[in-house]
Amino acid sequence: MSFKTMRAALVVAALGSVAAVALSPAMAQDAAKPAAAPAAKPAAGGSALADDPVVARANGKEFKRSDVIALLQQLDPQVQQMPLQMIYPQLLDQLIQAQLVTEAGYKAKLQDSAEVKKRLKLAEEQFVQQIWLKGEIDKKLTQDKLKAAYDKWIKENPPQDEVRASHILVKTKEEADTIIKQLKGGADFAKLAAEKGTDGTKDQGGDLGYFVKDQMVKPFSDAAFAMKVGDISQTPVQTDFGFHVIKLADKRKQTPPTFDQATPQLRQMVAQEIAEELVKGLEKTAKVEKFNIDGSPMANAPAPVKP
């Protein structure tokens, strides 16, 4: 990772990924709303789950179905993919337990403690950072900037040659030689790949899909890109994975993404660049002093800039 890339990552992380937040004016509002619940069949008596019924009470505090959905959306994506009915009891317990702990904390008057006030202040500062940066980014994130970024990316990333190949990977040269002999005798490549292959591609007849030269290990790529469409390697190709028998299916130039296809990634990239520029601008006019981790003066530290 280059210094510039690392710094960009640190800026975004420190500012709460504000570049991502800035991509859509409605994103911050949408994040606070629970997702629309899927329609459910009416229960006996005509009520429906979609009506957001009360699903629990704890010391008089009511929890609705939308509270369960909102909690689910805060969890890892893998959990969110699980059927709701499977994890519903655990989600409900978590809501209730959190409420009971909250009540205990308020009874202990922790809301007035220095620790809580400190954390609230930190949270407030983060929201202020994000909202200020979001507003500034929204002003500068124009269609012209996106098109300029797209043109630059296309210029710096010209379409590469790519090939589509299949392979049969085996452990020994002797096995590979036998397979090549069978193929010369008319055996079906995909069938042999399924029978003899030792990697995950055997279930797809050895198909590796399209790839550019630097996506594969050098001996494999050199062999594949030197072949003609329809060719099968006449000798096994050895790599650290074993011995490969290769069949070349196609050659073509990459098709670059259209501007519309690239826009989501461009918005994130340009927003991050704008955020960095804004922060650098603030640093230029700020009075900043830096010290070593032990508090001692930092060698060669730049002189403070007067505001």
Side-chain angles (χ1 to χ4, degrees), residues 94-114:
Q94 189 169 337
L95 280 174
I96 293 169
Q97 291 165 5
Q99 175 60 24
L100 296 178
V101 172
T102 299
E103 290 179 5
Y106 274 105
K107 286 180 181 178
K109 303 295 184 182
L110 291 180
Q111 65 272 29
D112 299 323
S113 69

Side-chain angles (χ1 to χ4, degrees), residues 61-291:
K61 166 74 174 179
E62 290 187 343
F63 297 96
K64 295 187 176 182
R65 183 174 185 268
S66 58
D67 296 319
V68 177
I69 300 299
L71 174 60
L72 177 62
Q73 290 185 316
Q74 297 173 29
L75 303 179
D76 292 340
Q78 290 180 338
V79 178
Q80 294 183 35
Q81 297 302 315
M82 299 174 68
L84 178 58
Q85 292 299 328
M86 180 185 296
I87 57 176
Y88 173 74
Q90 290 83 2
L91 292 172
L92 202 59
D93 285 345
Q94 189 169 337
L95 280 174
I96 293 169
Q97 291 165 5
Q99 175 60 24
L100 296 178
V101 172
T102 299
E103 290 179 5
Y106 274 105
K107 286 180 181 178
K109 303 295 184 182
L110 291 180
Q111 65 272 29
D112 299 323
S113 69
E115 180 65 21
V116 168
K117 290 180 178 179
K118 178 181 177 181
R119 295 193 184 195
L120 284 172
K121 182 62 177 175
L122 289 173
E124 177 186 281
E125 289 176 357
Q126 289 179 354
F127 286 130
V128 169
Q129 292 168 11
Q130 292 173 6
I131 292 171
W132 182 82
L133 274 171
K134 178 184 180 303
E136 294 301 309
I137 290 171
D138 284 346
K139 296 175 188 176
K140 299 175 181 292
L141 190 59
T142 63
Q143 196 75 354
D144 287 343
K145 275 188 176 290
L146 292 175
K147 289 181 178 177
Y150 175 75
D151 292 341
K152 180 182 177 184
W153 187 88
I154 289 294
K155 184 177 180 180
E156 293 175 350
N157 298 274
Q160 298 183 58
D161 291 322
E162 60 182 3
V163 299
R164 181 173 185 175
S166 299
H167 78 146
I168 303 172
L169 175 64
V170 292
K171 293 181 179 179
T172 67
K173 183 178 183 298
E174 290 73 23
E175 291 176 283
D177 284 332
T178 300
I179 290 170
I180 291 172
K181 186 176 180 180
Q182 290 176 300
L183 291 169
K184 287 180 178 179
D188 182 76
F189 191 97
K191 185 177 180 181
L192 281 180
E195 293 174 356
K196 308 291 187 180
T198 59
D199 71 329
T201 65
K202 67 179 184 177
D203 296 330
Q204 292 82 43
D207 186 18
L208 292 162
Y210 285 96
F211 55 89
V212 296
K213 199 165 187 178
D214 61 4
Q215 283 182 279
M216 298 293 179
V217 292
K218 190 175 187 303
F220 188 96
S221 284
D222 287 346
F225 276 80
M227 294 168 65
K228 296 179 181 179
V229 174
D231 281 354
I232 294 174
S233 52
Q234 297 299 299
T235 57
V237 177
Q238 184 178 6
T239 70
D240 291 340
F241 300 101
F243 292 83
H244 308 256
V245 179
I246 305 171
K247 180 179 179 180
L248 194 72
D250 193 19
K251 285 187 175 184
R252 70 181 187 185
K253 281 280 187 184
Q254 283 181 322
T255 301
T258 64
F259 175 73
D260 288 341
Q261 290 171 334
T263 292
Q265 290 79 15
L266 290 170
R267 288 178 65 84
Q268 184 173 354
M269 180 182 71
V270 175
Q272 180 170 311
E273 290 174 353
I274 293 171
E276 284 191 81
E277 290 172 1
L278 288 166
V279 173
K280 287 179 181 177
L282 295 174
E283 288 176 337
K284 287 179 181 178
T285 59
K287 182 180 179 180
V288 177
E289 298 177 83
K290 296 181 180 180
F291 303 91

